Amino acid sequence: MCRCLKVSHSGYYDWEKRSPSTRQIDNERLLKRIREIHEDSNGAIGVPRMHEDLRETGETASKNRIARLMASAGLQGWPRKKKRGRYHTPVVVPADVQNQLQRDFKALEPEQKWVTDITELKTGEGKLYLCVVIDLFSKLVVGWSMHHRQDRQMVIRAVEMAVWQRQESNHVILHSDRGSQFRSTDYQRFLKENALVCSMSAVGHCGDNAACEGFFGVLKRERTNRMRYPTMDAAKADLFNYIERFHNPRMRKRIARRDMEFQLFSNRP
């Protein structure tokens, strides 16, 4: 073999007995951590999200290095599904409702800006609808509800959960699209009774609610697109698991990390 590779016998045996380099040891440690995160996400996380999660835990590895390690281990995330454009007929909204967000999805504190929307999932028993309320400061799902009908009561239940968890009674902007559930009299009345300022997207501008659409995109890519739900109860259990045992804990870790970094920065001389 040495003759074929054109190397000396002494050089080959020296290479064979050589201890792993510091870089190789660190790569093995990092790959072990990557495998753990990938397994926790049920194989859904790709390089960008992996890089983001590792950075939140204090790792300084570059995105290219993570990509090489994941490729060498045969690890990859689930790609997004391409969607065709759709045309939506303009609808009339209450006269006093405006777009309060104007695509400003940054919040300086909790309970300042919320977004809500509805998505549908296929099950063996028919469609299941999920409505969520997301706090733009923490990215936590502070309210959610599921039902086989996407009616106004389902939306109100999701917002009601968010209201129950609210710490302060200050006014909160709650942004949605112009769906009939959000334009209903019952929904509008509920918002006014609970100091919630209604905000709605402009006509034909789905990007006005991109923060909530983004969550649904990640949910489907990381979980539901590769699942087959025989019953609605199975889908509900899996959605609960994703929101309360995967997404929200991840967001809380990021908040804790951000608070710690802020404290370290504030304590600098």
Side-chain angles (χ1 to χ4, degrees), residues 14 26 59 69 79 86-87 116 131 137 154 158 160 164 167 173 176 200 237 253 255 257-258:
D14 180 64
D26 191 54
E59 295 286 352
L69 291 175
R86 297 179 180 177
Y87 174 77
T116 182
C131 178
F137 175 79
M154 181 189 71
E160 192 173 32
W164 285 343
Q167 302 296 319
I173 296 175
S176 68
M200 287 189 175
K253 288 180 181 177
I255 296 171
R257 175 77 178 178
R258 188 166 54 190

Side-chain angles (χ1 to χ4, degrees), residues 18-34:
R18 189 178 303 165
S19 301
S21 65
T22 304
R23 180 74 168 187
Q24 185 177 353
I25 294 174
D26 191 54
N27 279 342
E28 292 175 356
R29 178 196 63 80
L30 184 59
L31 181 57
K32 181 180 179 181
R33 181 63 183 139
I34 289 174

